[in-house]
Amino acid sequence: MNPIWSQFVFLVISCCSVKLVNSCSQDTFDIDAKACRNGFFSSIKQNPKQDCSTPYNDMKNCINTVFYGCRNNTDYKALVTIASRAQTIIASESHFCKDGMLNSLKGVNLPDCRKKAVKKAKKCAASFYRKFSQNKTSPSLCRKYTKAKKCIARAMAKYCKKTERVQQILKTYQDTFNPYCPGSVDAQEKPVRSTSSPFGTCTEREYFIMTRVCMARFVQTLQKYPKKPCRWVFTHKLHNCAKDITLHCHKNDSNYVKQNIEKSFDRNRPFQERKFCDGIYFQLSYPSPKRNQCKKDYFLAKHKCEESYIATYKKNKADVTLCRKYAQAKNCAKNASLSLCKDTPQLRDEVNFIYDRFNPFCFNLSDPPSNKGRWERVTRESGAQRLTNTSVPTRGSTSDSVSSGGQSLYAKLLNIVVALCFLSLRVVVF
């Protein structure tokens, strides 16, 4: 503390030997002092080439005025604390004009800290110091100041003893006051979005193709054991299988991601059980109506296509006619898509993949041969290379395979099991 300031504090405190009402607290002083500091930074932003001594002296006078206003509105003990706080805030001209109000612990006697703390703090502040020196009006100072404070706080927490003095210094770095940010408050860090694909190392179509094995196991178990509770079959034949495939696709991700995948599957299981067992999630998938410019009556036409098949499934999940009804529903929906949406190569690629011959209700997992008729008029056209004999890493046997339709880089579609897994993947990965 410089001699002049010490004399001033002594005179003020001497005049306040009588205990007064404590209406000027340290918090009140800090709020007013922050307004003074904001004035300093507003001035240098408006005129960064001016002599920094002028706005610094204005700020110092502002803080002195705030302190002087407290002399008759607080008691002796509080005034001593506020006086010390005022001197700390005013610091020095170099602290504001050169260091931008960021103390990197240089010149600070810290017997409770290892030397590494000071070295680390210097590195923490380097980027901010460099930018402040180059451009005192740069918007990036908001982020750099916040980042530097947090970095120094971590260094002190790691390399310093938890003494009372260290804790007091830490508070200055933990304070969210930031004159470089809008509102003078540290900007909230944006959540880092994972660069990982929602399907991990698998492509979207590879993932859907592999999960078809899970769907086949679910349906065939219901057909073979119609008296088994649907929810039990769902958990053991579809849910666990799909979860294993998802974890396989994310085998290169961190344990944190894998744990969240498992938690997400477990959390959504009761809801998914109901939807799969009551038939809601057995509605047919469809291409993007908006991207493919489908007509307004497209969904009505699709609903009519699947109406009989869904009704039969709800009534009896082991009904042998589901094999043919599901195939007919797909062909009907395929024709509706091609006739009520803009017919493009991309649409045909999507339609051929969504409505290929995979059929979990048939013994050989493929649509049955049928007589030529209205619903067979559209020939299959493969958009790209077919994916066949895809191995599925699930509990138990890993030899199951299911063929698929064409593969397209741009096709964004829903599969019959997408409702089970897609939402979980989005929540976990992003």
Side-chain angles (χ1 to χ4, degrees):
M1 186 177 291
N2 62 58
I4 297 177
W5 180 261
S6 300
Q7 292 174 16
F8 173 71
V9 172
F10 175 76
L11 289 173
V12 172
I13 294 175
S14 297
C15 294
C16 301
S17 56
V18 180
K19 187 173 183 179
L20 303 171
V21 178
N22 188 9
S23 60
C24 182
S25 65
Q26 183 174 337
D27 289 341
T28 303
F29 173 80
D30 282 345
I31 292 172
D32 292 338
K34 285 178 180 178
C36 296
R37 284 180 283 177
N38 278 332
F40 167 81
F41 286 101
S42 295
S43 178
I44 64 171
K45 286 178 182 177
Q46 292 174 3
N47 186 9
K49 294 184 179 181
Q50 67 177 309
D51 182 1
C52 189
S53 298
T54 301
Y56 172 74
N57 287 327
D58 290 342
M59 179 202 68
K60 185 166 65 172
N61 291 335
C62 176
I63 293 176
N64 285 340
T65 300
V66 173
F67 175 77
Y68 185 79
C70 286
R71 77 190 192 284
N72 292 325
N73 294 289
T74 191
D75 56 35
Y76 176 84
K77 184 178 180 180
L79 191 60
V80 172
T81 302
I82 292 173
S84 175
R85 176 66 178 153
Q87 179 60 17
T88 300
I89 292 173
I90 289 175
S92 66
E93 184 176 321
S94 175
H95 175 63
F96 281 87
C97 296
K98 183 179 178 181
D99 297 339
M101 205 183 73
L102 179 66
N103 190 336
S104 61
L105 303 182
K106 61 181 179 181
V108 180
N109 183 22
L110 293 173
D112 300 319
C113 299
R114 292 160 54 185
K115 291 182 178 180
K116 198 168 184 178
V118 178
K119 290 182 179 179
K120 181 65 176 176
K122 185 178 180 180
K123 290 182 180 179
C124 292
S127 179
F128 171 81
Y129 284 160
R130 186 164 51 251
K131 178 56 68 175
F132 182 78
S133 175
Q134 294 170 352
N135 182 6
K136 293 179 174 58
T137 63
S138 173
S140 66
L141 289 172
C142 168
R143 174 179 53 82
K144 289 181 180 292
Y145 185 75
T146 299
K147 187 176 180 180
K149 285 193 301 178
K150 291 182 177 180
C151 180
I152 295 173
R154 287 195 298 268
M156 291 190 67
K158 185 175 182 179
Y159 300 114
C160 299
K161 297 178 182 178
K162 295 182 179 180
T163 62
E164 184 177 351
R165 183 165 183 265
V166 168
Q167 295 304 312
Q168 287 296 324
I169 295 174
L170 266 176
K171 287 182 180 179
T172 63
Y173 296 105
Q174 294 167 345
D175 187 353
T176 59
F177 175 64
N178 187 333
Y180 303 98
C181 294
S184 300
V185 178
D186 284 333
Q188 294 292 324
E189 292 185 5
K190 294 181 179 179
V192 179
R193 201 173 188 182
S194 172
T195 56
S196 175
S197 162
F199 300 97
T201 58
C202 304
T203 66
E204 189 173 359
R205 288 195 176 184
E206 285 172 343
Y207 172 78
F208 289 143
I209 290 166
M210 287 191 288
T211 54
R212 286 178 170 182
V213 170
C214 308
M215 181 58 64
R217 291 175 179 174
F218 172 67
V219 171
Q220 290 180 346
T221 302
L222 289 175
Q223 291 175 331
K224 188 175 181 180
Y225 305 102
K227 293 185 178 181
K228 269 189 177 293
C230 179
R231 293 186 178 184
W232 183 93
V233 178
F234 168 84
T235 299
H236 292 83
K237 299 299 180 181
L238 178 54
H239 177 271
N240 291 343
C241 172
K243 182 167 65 174
D244 286 344
I245 290 173
T246 305
L247 291 171
H248 168 75
C249 289
H250 288 272
K251 60 187 176 183
N252 295 333
D253 285 330
S254 66
N255 289 332
Y256 174 77
V257 170
K258 294 174 184 176
Q259 289 171 2
N260 279 342
I261 288 174
E262 295 208 39
K263 289 179 182 178
S264 184
F265 266 86
D266 293 341
R267 183 171 58 250
N268 292 324
R269 185 179 63 186
F271 175 78
Q272 305 293 350
E273 281 178 355
R274 293 193 299 272
K275 296 304 179 183
F276 272 94
C277 289
D278 66 16
I280 298 299
Y281 281 170
F282 270 93
Q283 295 174 357
L284 295 174
S285 303
Y286 51 89
S288 170
K290 184 176 181 180
R291 185 177 61 241
N292 294 296
Q293 302 176 31
C294 300
K295 296 180 180 179
K296 292 182 179 180
D297 54 351
Y298 169 69
F299 282 109
L300 179 61
K302 173 184 169 293
H303 174 71
K304 289 182 178 179
C305 289
E306 64 195 7
E307 194 171 25
S308 175
Y309 142 70
I310 293 293
T312 302
Y313 174 82
K314 288 182 176 181
K315 186 176 181 180
N316 180 8
K317 296 176 178 58
D319 194 314
V320 294
T321 65
L322 283 171
C323 170
R324 186 169 297 279
K325 286 185 176 182
Y326 180 65
Q328 291 172 340
K330 284 191 301 175
N331 275 274
C332 177
K334 181 176 183 178
N335 285 336
S337 299
L338 293 175
S339 61
L340 297 176
C341 301
K342 186 176 181 180
D343 192 349
T344 63
Q346 180 179 337
L347 173 66
R348 284 186 170 267
D349 179 70
E350 290 190 29
V351 166
N352 285 328
F353 178 78
I354 297 172
Y355 305 123
D356 67 357
R357 297 191 63 82
F358 171 69
N359 191 328
F361 296 97
C362 296
F363 178 75
N364 61 352
L365 304 181
S366 181
D367 287 339
S370 59
N371 298 325
K372 291 184 178 180
R374 177 176 171 274
W375 58 278
E376 271 195 313
R377 67 180 176 84
V378 179
T379 59
R380 285 186 50 79
E381 296 176 18
S382 178
Q385 183 180 0
R386 289 172 59 88
L387 294 177
T388 58
N389 298 327
T390 304
S391 298
V392 182
T394 56
R395 290 186 178 95
S397 173
T398 58
S399 61
D400 297 306
S401 65
V402 181
S403 64
S404 77
Q407 183 180 21
S408 166
L409 178 64
Y410 304 103
K412 300 292 183 181
L413 50 103
L414 295 175
N415 182 268
I416 201 169
V417 293
V418 68
L420 173 68
C421 312
F422 190 70
L423 178 60
S424 299
L425 289 170
R426 290 290 185 192
V427 171
V428 169
V429 177
F430 287 93

